[in-house]
Amino acid sequence: MKMLRLAATLLTGALIAGATPARAEFPEGPIRLIVPFAPGGTTDVVARRIAPKVGELLGQSVIIDNRGGGGGSIAAQATATAEPDGYTLMMTTTSHTANPSVQMNLPYDTLKDFVSVALVADQPGVIVVHPSVPVNSFKELMEYAKTHKLTYATAGPGTFPHLGIELLKSRAGVDMSAIPYKGAGPAMTDLLAGHVKLKLDAYITAYSHVKAGKLKLLAVSSPERIPQLPDTPTVAELGYPGYEVSFWMGIVGPTGIPEPVRAKLEKAFTDALTPEIRAVLEKDGVRPIGGSGKDLDALIQREIPQWAKLVKDANITAN
């Protein structure tokens, strides 16, 4: 009798186990990668370079969702409030750490509402002007800016082009007016049309226009000359020692993503930087990093107080 009851119990357990569906392996569907700027800018270009490989490694497509505006804060809010299941991520940049100082009353907490996934890449900038500006060197530009009111394009308040030029203004003692856009793409469009006169841009998006004679290249913002432009001097060597501005690109998601899912995403984004993709990015002037979530965390923790000091010292505002 006992044997019959034991057999019945084992059979019932087997049936229940068979009726319980197996937990699906992440990911089961497409992953949305929010880019906080309009199409055509560096962040968008880099995201589209690596997204197909990330999708291939995960076995699902990675869909780019451009959400420009607010210097990245609109996209950040959409990410912070998304379901923390790993299916919504954001490719964020330097503006993520500057916004707490530049913008008042952000609708999210930069440190508490996001989890870091991977540190993808970084890149120095190039200072370019419209051909209508009658200068042919960075020194001439600074002299011209002292007597003429110049406008410069930004990808939004607190973004790399905004912070970089504001830092230059404070160092050089010149006054230029910021014109904000919803990303580097539309900012470049207006620069090429001559509606604004100057921009701190990325090599990847500016050099083709320089080569075509549509823009004049005056300097780079890195501490040393970059391999792609060995004859172009740095701002630092042109009379402003210590001047250095670059921007990074990293992947974050909403806080609460299960650690096994976050770790799987981290591996996919770091493994996506294959030798072939690295070569393409380097040709574009982008430095592949392939850092971990912890690397990105450390960078964010370090930059928030650094940008806060710069914003205060240079009196930078969201305008």
Side-chain angles (χ1 to χ4, degrees), residues 8 11 25 39 41 61 70 88 92 184 197 199 205 224 258 272 290 296 298 311:
L11 178 61
E25 183 92 10
S61 57
T88 300
T92 190
K197 301 302 181 183
K199 190 175 187 300
T205 49
E224 299 176 350
L296 180 55
V311 168

Side-chain angles (χ1 to χ4, degrees), residues 18-142:
T20 303
R23 181 173 294 178
E25 183 92 10
F26 173 86
E28 295 182 82
I31 293 168
R32 179 173 58 139
L33 180 58
I34 300 176
V35 172
F37 306 108
T42 304
T43 311
D44 179 65
V45 171
V46 173
R48 293 177 189 278
R49 291 267 197 263
I50 67 171
K53 187 62 180 179
V54 173
E56 178 187 320
L57 292 170
L58 292 172
Q60 294 287 348
S61 57
V62 176
I63 299 169
I64 304 297
D65 179 4
N66 294 91
R67 294 205 180 188
S73 61
I74 291 175
Q77 182 180 10
T79 305
T81 56
E83 188 71 25
D85 52 12
Y87 289 97
T88 300
L89 304 171
M90 176 174 71
M91 188 168 199
T92 190
T93 69
T94 308
S95 62
H96 188 63
T97 53
N99 277 337
S101 300
V102 176
Q103 301 193 49
M104 301 297 291
N105 303 316
L106 285 175
Y108 55 83
D109 188 306
T110 302
L111 289 175
K112 294 180 180 179
D113 292 341
F114 302 91
V115 61
S116 295
V117 174
L119 179 57
V120 177
D122 67 7
Q123 184 176 48
V126 294
I127 293 178
V128 290
V129 297
H130 188 265
S132 63
V133 182
V135 301
N136 292 300
S137 70
F138 181 78
K139 182 178 179 181
E140 289 178 1
L141 174 67
M142 292 297 96

